[in-house]
Amino acid sequence: MGQTWLKLAVLYLVIGISIGLFMSYTLQLNWAAGHAHVNVVGWLTTLGIGAVLSIYPHLAQNGLGKATFWLYHIGVPMFLFSTFYVQINPSIAHILTFIGGPMFLLAIILFGINIFTNLNENTTDFKH
């Protein structure tokens, strides 16, 4: 599952860089908040979770890991889309923010609970 997270992180990186180039070429700098969120939430956060799950794959295989995956990968695209769509239709964008944002937050909380409850000093998933 860690590899899936890493692949999705690279997808967010491509999207983030593409948006940055679009902004640079067109001087449409009003997309800066969305661009930053795609890079930080999409690329870095997804990459970080993917790295942890690649080292400790058992964290992805339990109920918390599966719930984290689905909440995150449904909520984050919705939230990220809203960071752009707010420039076009704020009332609809805020609905997406209020749905996707809490899903993203809950996924991160579940990820943290999973780490604190299922990762200990005796964990031996990592292969040297």
Side-chain angles (χ1 to χ4, degrees):
M1 184 61 73
Q3 296 85 353
T4 301
W5 284 82
L6 295 174
K7 290 174 184 176
L8 290 168
V10 171
L11 179 64
Y12 283 119
L13 176 63
V14 170
I15 292 168
I17 289 172
S18 298
I19 293 165
L21 288 172
F22 168 79
M23 288 172 32
S24 178
Y25 295 157
T26 64
L27 299 178
Q28 297 284 325
L29 304 179
N30 55 316
W31 305 107
H35 165 68
H37 279 85
V38 169
N39 285 312
V40 173
V41 172
W43 160 240
L44 291 176
T45 305
T46 309
L47 180 72
I49 293 172
V52 169
L53 297 179
S54 292
I55 296 169
Y56 302 106
H58 76 278
L59 294 176
Q61 297 165 356
N62 61 30
L64 287 169
K66 291 173 184 172
T68 296
F69 180 86
W70 288 110
L71 283 168
Y72 188 95
H73 293 294
I74 294 170
V76 166
M78 194 179 301
F79 171 71
L80 292 177
F81 179 77
S82 75
T83 64
F84 293 97
Y85 201 61
V86 74
Q87 300 291 327
I88 299 165
N89 188 338
S91 59
I92 299 295
H94 288 308
I95 292 169
L96 296 173
T97 301
F98 294 137
I99 296 170
M103 290 176 77
F104 168 46
L105 175 60
L106 182 57
I108 296 301
I109 291 169
L110 293 179
F111 179 69
I113 291 170
N114 199 4
I115 285 186
F116 279 98
T117 58
N118 297 308
L119 187 63
N120 57 53
E121 294 174 10
N122 298 323
T123 303
T124 59
D125 284 341
F126 185 67
K127 309 283 190 271
H128 292 88

